[in-house]
Amino acid sequence: MSIGPPPLWNYKDGVYDMSHRRITTQLMNGLAFGGPCAHEFKTLTLAFNEIGSEGLINTCTWFKKYSTTHMLRLDISFNNIDDGGAEALGKCDVLINNLEHLHVAGNSITGKGFGHIVEGFKRSPSLIGLDCSGNNGNIDGACHLARLLEAPGTRLASLRLGGNKIDVE
């Protein structure tokens, strides 16, 4: 029996776990155009990698290309995603319509990026949990996220903002 690195795509029943794989933006760009068919995804975990906004933008393009309409959970926590990646998420309609849980903790998203996420997901009837903790959010970002809680038909039950720069003066 040989012991080697774990497979890049750890897949079981629609759950793809690619956390802690040292995936970079460049590798993600390659996977986005040559990886498994994204329409099979129910859960995709890309946490604790080195994916930047460009990699996430291309991944959103990949989701659209393969009509990723069954994904319920996306975890892109602890990468190098900034407001550009947040904007791509906010425009990724195939995710917005069905995603129940979005984890973007530990990135570099500011209040402006939170605004992009809110613009997309405020029309989502499915989002239940949103983890934005540990980013570079500010009071403006918190106000954007409050709009998400006030959106008609929202199901959002969990919103995490800890570790941001939200000070009320």
Side-chain angles (χ1 to χ4, degrees):
M1 173 160 80
S2 67
I3 298 176
L8 186 59
W9 293 100
N10 186 3
Y11 168 76
K12 183 177 180 183
D13 299 325
V15 176
Y16 286 82
D17 184 357
M18 295 174 54
S19 58
H20 299 279
R21 299 281 203 268
R22 295 186 180 155
I23 298 171
T24 63
T25 292
Q26 290 77 19
L27 180 57
M28 199 65 220
N29 289 344
L31 291 172
F33 297 104
C37 287
H39 69 271
E40 301 172 358
F41 293 174
K42 292 179 184 169
T43 296
L44 177 59
T45 303
L46 294 165
F48 296 96
N49 283 295
E50 299 167 14
I51 301 167
S53 288
E54 180 188 338
L56 182 57
I57 290 165
N58 287 330
T59 302
C60 287
T61 302
W62 178 39
F63 292 155
K64 291 174 187 177
K65 178 180 178 182
Y66 290 104
S67 299
T68 307
T69 57
H70 301 301
M71 190 179 308
L72 302 175
R73 180 180 299 268
L74 176 61
D75 187 346
I76 51 175
S77 299
F78 301 99
N79 279 284
N80 299 318
I81 296 164
D82 62 19
D83 294 344
E87 182 176 9
L89 280 173
K91 292 180 177 178
C92 193
D93 290 338
V94 294
L95 289 181
I96 290 168
N97 295 330
N98 296 300
L99 201 65
E100 293 180 353
H101 300 276
L102 176 61
H103 302 270
V104 295
N107 284 290
S108 298
I109 301 170
T110 69
K112 180 179 178 182
F114 290 165
H116 292 306
I117 292 171
V118 168
E119 277 306 306
F121 283 92
K122 73 179 181 184
R123 62 183 189 275
S124 171
S126 58
L127 193 64
I128 297 169
L130 177 58
D131 184 354
C132 294
S133 58
N135 278 284
N136 295 324
N138 53 22
I139 192 69
D140 292 335
C143 290
H144 286 304
L145 292 165
R147 286 195 346 247
L148 187 58
L149 291 169
E150 297 168 348
T154 188
R155 292 178 49 206
L156 192 63
S158 174
L159 175 61
R160 299 185 68 194
L161 293 174
N164 282 283
K165 299 170 185 165
I166 301 170
D167 291 327
V168 178
E169 296 177 13

